[in-house]
Amino acid sequence: MKSTRKGLRDGELKKDTYERLTCADCGKSLKKKNDPDEIFSVRTCPECEREWKELR
């Protein structure tokens, strides 16, 4: 699982006009899952179900 920063650099993710992360393939806004035991959040695309991690 890549980080969101690496996904932005590789062109897998884009930011929309409101600075929200979107999937470059689907164009859908990413959903966030917060696990209180982890130091990162998991961002997922609702359509293609790819995942990226984001440090909090």
Side-chain angles (χ1 to χ4, degrees), residues 2-52:
K2 290 184 180 180
S3 69
T4 53
R5 295 179 122 202
K6 190 172 253 189
L8 283 167
R9 277 184 262 144
D10 292 344
E12 297 173 355
L13 298 174
K14 293 184 179 181
K15 287 191 175 185
D16 64 1
T17 55
Y18 298 106
E19 296 295 315
R20 293 179 295 216
L21 290 173
T22 58
C23 180
D25 295 336
C26 308
K28 299 283 183 175
S29 182
L30 300 182
K31 304 293 180 188
K32 183 188 271 191
K33 295 181 205 171
N34 289 327
D35 186 7
D37 296 331
E38 296 291 337
I39 61 168
F40 58 87
S41 300
V42 176
R43 305 294 300 254
T44 59
C45 176
E47 189 146 324
C48 65
E49 299 184 4
R50 292 172 55 188
E51 294 183 340
W52 296 270

